[in-house]
Amino acid sequence: MPALLHLDSSADLHNSVSRGLTALFADTWRSLGDEHTVIVRDLHRSPLPHLPDAGLHYAARLRTGAERPDPEAEALQAALIEEVTNADVVVIGAPMYNWSMPSTLKAWIDYIHVLGSTVPFDTPEAPLKGKPAVIVSSRGNTYAPGTPGDGTDSVIPPLQQTLGTSLGMSVSVVTAELTLTERIPPLAPLAGQAAESLAAAQDMVRELATKLGS
Ligand SMILES: Cc1cc2nc3c(=O)[nH]c(=O)nc-3n(C[C@H](O)[C@H](O)[C@H](O)COP(=O)(O)O)c2cc1C
């Protein structure tokens, strides 16, 4: 049973580009067959509490004597880790909010990135190693090479670092840029470029869902 974990974090429930693209990914996944299941976790509609205790950054055996997190928070962390571990593929909607990711998505990362548990530390165990993660990042402006935004994106690099370099997941990135050309007048001349970016993102999402689900 190939299982997709579908995460969204956009606070826009009407016109979200990242929600549109992750939904397209999930629909393409489902179209591959009845055995292709999807679990949805909406980090905006059902936000996680911010990580309540620094001890949760470490496996229980690595905590100091003073670090005794609330058992309820430990149980939530265990459930989130089980959910991502059980998935075959993860698709993550990651809009750009003030050059970084939404705090709702960051909270999820803080729960699942755990030294000695999901991150190899004192043992080589890496339960998420090789698991495909598809990051879908929408942004109002452009951050393409040579533009003033080049190098200021703090959404994709930290996700690649935590999910890819640290957890060992196999990360793919899809971006849809210039989503605000209709709303921000100085961006209006870039409407054609925005349409091309969205079309390319849709093609890439369909292609990745088909490849990873086959
Ligand atoms: C709180 C907030 C902060 C934003 N900050 C940025 C930003 O730093 N850079 C940018 O290009 N767009 C920014 N935007 C625009 C969003 O990235 C853009 O609307 C994007 O399409 C949001 O993703 P969504 O369509 O999936 O909701 C921001 C939007 C919001 C709501």
Side-chain angles (χ1 to χ4, degrees):
M1 293 256 292
L4 172 70
L5 175 60
H6 169 181
L7 300 176
D8 278 316
S9 61
S10 170
D12 183 346
L13 298 179
H14 309 289
N15 266 320
S16 163
V17 173
S18 63
R19 284 179 183 276
L21 288 166
T22 58
L24 177 62
F25 191 102
D27 287 345
T28 308
W29 181 269
R30 285 190 197 92
S31 76
L32 298 174
D34 288 345
E35 72 288 2
H36 282 67
T37 59
V38 180
I39 292 189
V40 179
R41 179 170 285 280
D42 192 321
L43 297 165
H44 175 74
R45 284 186 166 103
S46 306
L48 300 167
H50 285 141
L51 198 76
D53 190 314
L56 293 170
H57 186 54
Y58 305 90
R61 69 179 181 285
L62 300 175
R63 291 182 196 142
T64 66
E67 286 171 340
R68 278 186 242 113
D70 179 352
E72 246 183 66
E74 277 190 296
L76 172 61
Q77 180 174 54
L80 293 169
I81 290 174
E82 192 184 2
E83 187 173 71
V84 66
T85 306
N86 287 344
D88 294 294
V89 174
V90 187
V91 64
I92 304 172
M96 179 181 282
Y97 281 2
N98 297 313
W99 292 274
S100 62
M101 71 185 87
S103 57
T104 49
L105 176 56
K106 180 59 166 48
W108 180 79
I109 294 283
D110 288 342
Y111 277 99
I112 62 128
H113 184 268
V114 184
L115 303 189
S117 165
T118 53
V119 182
F121 188 71
D122 55 339
T123 73
E125 259 178 77
L128 300 179
K129 195 174 167 62
K131 192 184 297 292
V134 178
I135 300 165
V136 176
S137 185
S138 44
R139 51 276 303 283
N141 210 329
T142 176
Y143 297 84
T147 63
D150 186 6
T152 65
D153 172 4
S154 295
V155 181
I156 292 168
L159 287 172
Q160 282 174 320
Q161 182 66 28
T162 49
L163 301 176
T165 308
S166 190
L167 296 174
M169 298 177 84
S170 174
V171 175
S172 307
V173 176
V174 179
T175 53
E177 296 213 309
L178 292 164
T179 63
L180 293 180
T181 53
E182 286 178 18
R183 185 160 187 166
I184 299 185
L187 294 179
L190 301 176
Q193 219 175 301
E196 279 170 24
S197 175
L198 180 60
Q202 288 165 336
D203 286 348
M204 197 171 168
V205 154
R206 279 193 209 96
E207 202 177 296
L208 278 168
T210 305
K211 185 177 96 181
L212 296 173
S214 299

